[in-house]
Amino acid sequence: MDKIERYRGSLLGLATGDALGTTLEFKSPGSFTPIDDLIGGGPFDLEPGQWTDDTSMALCLAESLIECQDFDPVDQLSRYLQWLETGHLSSTGRCFDIGHTVSQALSRFQKTSEAYCGSADPRRAGNGSIMRLTPLVLFYANRPEEAIARAADSSRTTHGARTCIDACRYMAALLVGALNGVSKAELLAPSYSPIPGYWQQSPLISAEIAEIAAGSFKERQPPQIQGTGYVVKSLEAALWAFYNSASFKEGCLLAVNLGDDADTTGAVYGQIAGAFYGETGIPREWRSRLSLQALMIKFAEDLFHLSEKK
């Protein structure tokens, strides 16, 4: 598979998981009939193929990296703020779904223009920085060490809790591996890194993220696996779905049918699975209905060419 197809797959996979999961967003496990298709609806009454804040923030991050051709946290926050205030890069033209931690960070940015506005409070360890991560990794994929380091900085703009930072670091390592065509067995082996010995030199400080990296998602099943907004549960649920499936579609349905924060569980799963299975591994009937699909493809290709240049 050409690497550029994995790039397109990762960004389209994020949006697909987001759009699929919004139908079940905020619904408790066991309170709904599982879905098997892209049907829209949900708490924001979206059309099939429309997506939520996960994809909007990812597109803002992609746009910043492409236009700045560098990592500029202030520019990233400015674009997130533009999304909040004007609906920039929204699937509906307005901001209709935003997490409290992101909202708090953007309010701080409005007042201070600081580069890193994310709360370090462990109680603010939501999944809002892993849900949008892949553009950052697409940009730095040919420099794995920098990809992992910048993933941490990407989290700090809105989510400064150590658990969020380490979740982004570990997920960045997985995304680099998936983009480079690493097998699923190797990718999901204990403490995978594209850089040999990396976690020994720069360990995961969060014990909960280290437990996921060690393979907790292989040993658990629902209700221990939960698709909640807590970054630990969100990442573990996405990897559980990836581990227990053999196709993008099968895994994405496993992820979103956990309910709760289903759009973000789908988005986190979709980034990794999209990079692994590639663009054509995502069902055509789902891809073709995505809002702003052409722009996503352009952004993915732009990030690929910038990564190759660097």
Side-chain angles (χ1 to χ4, degrees):
M1 188 189 305
D2 290 340
K3 194 171 183 178
I4 196 168
E5 184 180 340
R6 298 187 186 277
Y7 268 65
R8 291 191 294 257
S10 191
L11 194 52
L12 291 169
L14 187 162
T16 301
D18 183 0
L20 195 74
T22 191
T23 305
L24 302 175
E25 192 174 357
F26 307 138
K27 292 191 176 182
S28 300
S31 70
F32 56 87
T33 301
I35 61 172
D36 62 4
D37 202 359
L38 184 68
I39 58 176
F44 304 106
D45 196 25
L46 299 182
E47 295 295 322
Q50 289 183 323
W51 28 259
T52 72
D53 55 329
D54 309 56
T55 306
S56 289
M57 294 193 78
L59 293 179
C60 287
L61 176 56
E63 183 183 60
S64 176
L65 291 162
I66 292 163
E67 294 195 5
C68 297
Q69 297 193 24
D70 202 355
F71 184 90
D72 186 333
V74 171
D75 186 78
Q76 291 163 30
L77 284 162
S78 297
R79 293 174 197 271
Y80 299 153
L81 190 59
Q82 190 181 356
W83 157 66
L84 172 63
E85 294 179 338
T86 70
H88 179 60
L89 295 174
S90 164
S91 65
T92 66
R94 60 185 178 85
C95 176
F96 57 86
D97 187 15
I98 183 169
H100 178 72
T101 303
V102 170
S103 179
Q104 187 180 56
L106 294 182
S107 178
R108 179 177 172 183
F109 177 69
Q110 281 181 302
K111 297 171 185 173
T112 67
S113 298
E114 292 175 21
Y116 298 110
C117 293
S119 170
D121 186 341
R123 294 170 297 179
R124 298 281 181 232
N127 54 15
S129 55
I130 59 169
M131 74 183 189
R132 64 177 190 243
L133 183 63
T134 200
L136 183 283
V137 182
L138 299 182
F139 187 76
Y140 288 107
N142 287 332
R143 290 176 285 171
E145 193 162 354
E146 194 165 0
I148 296 170
R150 286 303 193 185
D153 292 338
S154 173
S155 184
R156 288 187 181 101
T157 59
T158 59
H159 290 69
R162 185 71 238 182
T163 311
C164 298
I165 290 167
D166 273 355
C168 283
R169 294 173 68 222
Y170 176 56
M171 187 167 161
L174 294 177
L175 284 167
V176 170
L179 290 167
N180 286 319
V182 169
S183 71
K184 186 179 283 195
E186 183 180 351
L187 200 61
L188 299 182
S191 302
Y192 169 78
S193 170
I195 307 161
Y198 182 82
W199 299 124
Q200 284 71 42
Q201 299 168 8
S202 303
L204 294 164
I205 297 169
S206 166
E208 290 175 293
I209 301 302
E211 184 182 18
I212 293 174
S216 65
F217 56 89
K218 298 178 182 179
E219 308 299 327
R220 295 172 179 165
Q221 294 292 331
Q224 284 184 296
I225 295 293
Q226 301 169 355
T228 72
Y230 181 39
V231 67
V232 174
K233 292 297 186 182
S234 184
L235 180 59
E236 185 180 52
L239 292 176
W240 167 82
F242 184 52
Y243 175 70
N244 285 286
S245 57
S247 69
F248 183 94
K249 181 176 182 177
E250 181 187 6
C252 204
L253 290 171
L254 283 176
V256 303
N257 279 312
L258 290 168
D260 288 330
D261 202 7
D263 60 321
T264 299
T265 310
V268 176
Y269 165 85
Q271 293 172 70
I272 298 168
F276 182 79
Y277 294 112
E279 177 186 16
T280 58
I282 304 169
R284 181 185 296 274
E285 62 271 21
W286 290 356
R287 280 185 285 129
S288 65
R289 303 180 78 181
L290 290 176
S291 297
L292 303 185
Q293 180 204 20
L295 180 65
M296 290 181 211
I297 291 172
K298 181 182 184 301
F299 278 1
E301 292 176 351
D302 287 348
L303 289 165
F304 172 77
H305 294 304
L306 285 169
S307 178
E308 291 297 299
K309 276 173 59 179
K310 288 180 178 294

